[in-house]
Amino acid sequence: AAYLGVSMIAGDWVFYWNEHAVAWHEAGNSEGRRLRAVQSIFCAAIQAACEAGCRWFDFNPSGGFSGVEAFKEGLGAQRLPFHSYRRLNGFGKVQRACRFLKQKYMRRCGL
């Protein structure tokens, strides 16, 4: 967290597992953004991950925000492909089918 006086102006959550640090969420209020506090926190988080012996610092997806993507690229981040696999039981398969049908028909009726 970053403070200005006694007020928190920015913060982040970073999770560690084995040699992997994952930046889960960062945020700053208007004062924190003006002072670039989130950028400072990112740098401190990367340094802490290195000191903890992590081999990877995962920035996580950027939510399609071009400014966030540019910031991460400016720090030297490299995009890597991500593949996710799930094994669903019968109930999970039914839920997935219902969600698919709901989305398909809701689009058709204009809702």
Side-chain angles (χ1 to χ4, degrees):
Y3 293 89
L4 183 62
V6 295
S7 299
M8 184 186 303
I9 59 172
D12 70 342
W13 288 352
V14 179
F15 296 102
Y16 294 86
W17 182 71
N18 289 339
E19 297 177 328
H20 192 161
V22 180
W24 186 255
H25 185 73
E26 297 74 34
N29 64 16
S30 58
E31 190 69 11
R33 288 189 298 275
R34 185 181 70 77
L35 296 172
R36 300 184 156 294
V38 172
Q39 288 84 338
S40 297
I41 288 174
F42 250 120
C43 292
I46 293 167
Q47 182 177 358
C50 291
E51 290 171 359
C54 291
R55 295 182 62 212
W56 299 96
F57 189 89
D58 186 344
F59 285 96
N60 257 334
S62 301
F65 296 106
S66 60
V68 175
E69 291 172 356
F71 167 68
K72 292 175 180 180
E73 288 171 4
L75 289 175
Q78 176 186 7
R79 287 180 190 243
L80 297 175
F82 175 77
H83 303 285
S84 173
Y85 301 98
R86 290 189 334 191
R87 184 173 173 174
L88 299 175
N89 61 16
F91 183 70
K93 290 177 183 179
V94 169
Q95 282 184 311
R96 182 177 59 188
C98 289
R99 184 175 57 246
F100 171 77
L101 292 172
K102 178 181 172 185
Q103 290 172 349
K104 180 179 177 181
Y105 289 110
M106 289 199 59
R107 265 188 261 134
R108 278 194 180 163
C109 68
L111 294 178

